[in-house]
Amino acid sequence: MVKVYSIDSVTPVVHPTAYVHPTAVLIGDVIVGPRCYVGPLACLRGDFGRLVLQEGANVQDTCVMHGFPGTDTVIEIDGHIGHGAVLHGCHIGRNAMVGMNAVVMDGAQIGESSIVAAAAFVKAGMIVPPSSLVVGAPARVMRTLREDELAWKITGTKQYHELTERSLRSMREVEALTEVEPDRVRVDAAMTDSHKHKQ
């Protein structure tokens, strides 16, 4: 059961087509839209500002979202937030990606289809133009993204769309086995079979 908490009579909203892992924590003014994925141990604290995940966004394991009172922290459609990233009072544009362990601070705006590199620190108020590669601590715009880099990002986000469906369909809490089965199926093979059955 997902850990969902109301505060001051404001309750999180999770669309029925979204998947939120049972170990994630949602507090207060959190809105999780259609086809979103929220990973294990993610913490979305809407106890001050509002947190919004638009359709197809993913927030991966151990990510944190929070904001100051009166602010909105928003991930637009197909936004992709990598493992361990922290978003605080910022705006992530459509189809943008924030890499693993990156931090995006208050009032920062990440433009559509941009990529913030892993471990980058985006300072408060920074405006990142669309289709930019952002690196470093403090972060700076390095250059415009290449088509192959954008295609790589889109592929990764599609995998999380599929993971949302797989998780809703088949993820269950179980007891661990005590030994490896002789004909053990690989997850990648199971993914392929699942995709075939959908067609």
Side-chain angles (χ1 to χ4, degrees):
M1 189 65 168
V2 178
K3 292 174 174 55
V4 177
Y5 300 92
S6 174
I7 189 169
D8 298 328
S9 301
V10 180
T11 301
V13 176
V14 177
H15 192 275
T17 62
Y19 177 78
V20 179
H21 191 273
T23 62
V25 176
L26 278 55
I27 300 171
D29 198 358
V30 177
I31 302 169
V32 179
R35 299 172 54 242
C36 289
Y37 175 88
V38 178
L41 303 175
C43 180
L44 281 59
R45 278 183 51 206
D47 47 15
F48 291 153
R50 175 171 290 176
L51 312 180
V52 179
L53 280 63
Q54 295 183 2
E55 183 170 0
N58 70 76
V59 175
Q60 298 171 21
D61 35 313
T62 74
C63 287
V64 174
M65 290 181 70
H66 195 234
F68 288 123
T71 64
D72 289 0
T73 305
V74 177
I75 306 170
E76 290 190 15
I77 294 170
D78 291 343
H80 186 110
I81 312 302
H83 319 288
V86 177
L87 306 182
H88 202 281
C90 57
H91 192 106
I92 310 301
R94 183 178 186 138
N95 197 43
M97 175 177 163
V98 175
M100 293 182 277
N101 289 316
V103 175
V104 185
M105 292 298 292
D106 300 275
Q109 297 181 37
I110 307 302
E112 181 175 346
S113 298
S114 289
I115 294 177
V116 176
F121 180 82
V122 179
K123 294 190 297 185
M126 182 175 183
I127 308 296
V128 174
S131 302
S132 297
L133 176 62
V134 179
V135 300
R140 69 187 195 286
V141 175
M142 177 177 270
R143 57 176 169 79
T144 301
L145 286 171
R146 300 188 311 263
E147 287 299 320
D148 64 307
E149 292 169 322
L150 186 53
W152 170 81
K153 185 272 169 198
I154 291 169
T155 297
T157 301
K158 285 180 181 175
Q159 290 173 332
Y160 271 89
H161 292 162
E162 292 167 2
L163 180 59
T164 299
E165 294 176 10
R166 288 171 53 212
S167 297
L168 286 169
R169 183 174 59 249
S170 70
M171 190 177 294
R172 303 289 178 265
E173 187 171 3
V174 296
E175 294 291 326
L177 302 176
T178 56
E179 57 185 53
V180 177
E181 319 94 297
D183 58 348
R184 185 173 178 84
V185 174
R186 294 184 60 91
V187 170
D188 49 6
M191 287 169 56
T192 302
D193 289 344
S194 174
H195 184 70
K196 285 177 183 173
H197 291 145
K198 285 169 59 181
Q199 292 180 336

